[in-house]
């Protein structure tokens, strides 16, 4: 079992920056690939970014590529999402997720989920 807790959400103006963090506890963090997903009201949950166990491989949705950066610190059991140049369409609840083995972009592959953090971008 892996427990995930997101933090860092809030209200930010368009063009600004926000950093989300996800703290993991339970099993060995470095055994898991990590992902960030988001869900806006009335929409399906969608992939944002993922990272493999070592941090050596990262993947991004086209909509956030070049603006968001995912990183992890296996010594601290954390994975972060740095969000720059945010847009109103980035408004959503952001979820941290974990899965054993390699990172993927499909939310159905992830086993453990956090409770979510609200991010609201004002125009």
């Amino acid at each position: 079992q892996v427990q995930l807790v997101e933090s860092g959400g809030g209200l930010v103006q368009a063009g600004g920056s926000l950093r989300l963090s996800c703290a993991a506890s339970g099993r060995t963090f470095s055994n898991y690939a990590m992902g960030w997903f988001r869900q806006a009201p009335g929409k399906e949950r969608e992939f944002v970014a993922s990272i493999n166990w070592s941090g050596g491989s990262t993947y991004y949705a086209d909509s956030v590529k070049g603006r968001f950066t995912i990183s992890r610190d296996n010594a601290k059991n954390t994975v972060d999402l740095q969000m720059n140049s945010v847009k109103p369409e980035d408004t959503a609840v952001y979820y941290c997720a974990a899965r054993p083995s390699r990172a993927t972009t499909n939310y159905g592959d992830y086993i453990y989920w956090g409770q979510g953090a609200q991010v609201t971008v004002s125009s």
Side-chain angles (χ1 to χ4, degrees):
Q1 191 80 354
V2 176
Q3 292 79 41
L4 302 172
V5 179
E6 301 95 337
S7 61
L11 176 65
V12 60
Q13 286 191 331
S17 297
L18 200 65
R19 189 175 185 91
L20 299 180
S21 186
C22 174
S25 61
R27 298 194 174 184
T28 305
F29 180 68
S30 59
N31 288 345
Y32 291 83
M34 302 298 297
W36 285 97
F37 295 81
R38 67 186 181 187
Q39 188 165 18
K43 295 188 176 182
E44 292 189 353
R45 191 167 300 190
E46 66 174 5
F47 168 74
V48 176
S50 60
I51 188 167
N52 75 335
W53 69 274
S54 68
S57 296
T58 57
Y59 308 89
Y60 296 94
D62 288 343
S63 59
V64 307
K65 201 171 293 183
R67 299 189 298 121
F68 291 9
T69 302
I70 188 172
S71 61
R72 67 187 296 161
D73 186 333
N74 287 343
K76 296 181 179 179
N77 289 1
T78 58
V79 58
D80 291 348
L81 184 70
Q82 178 66 43
M83 307 167 60
N84 297 331
S85 302
V86 296
K87 305 174 182 180
E89 50 264 43
D90 293 323
T91 295
V93 177
Y94 283 71
Y95 297 90
C96 171
R99 73 180 301 267
S101 190
R102 63 184 182 87
T104 69
T105 63
N106 181 9
Y107 74 81
D109 293 336
Y110 289 77
I111 299 174
Y112 302 108
W113 291 85
Q115 82 288 352
Q118 177 68 49
V119 171
T120 303
V121 181
S122 63
S123 57

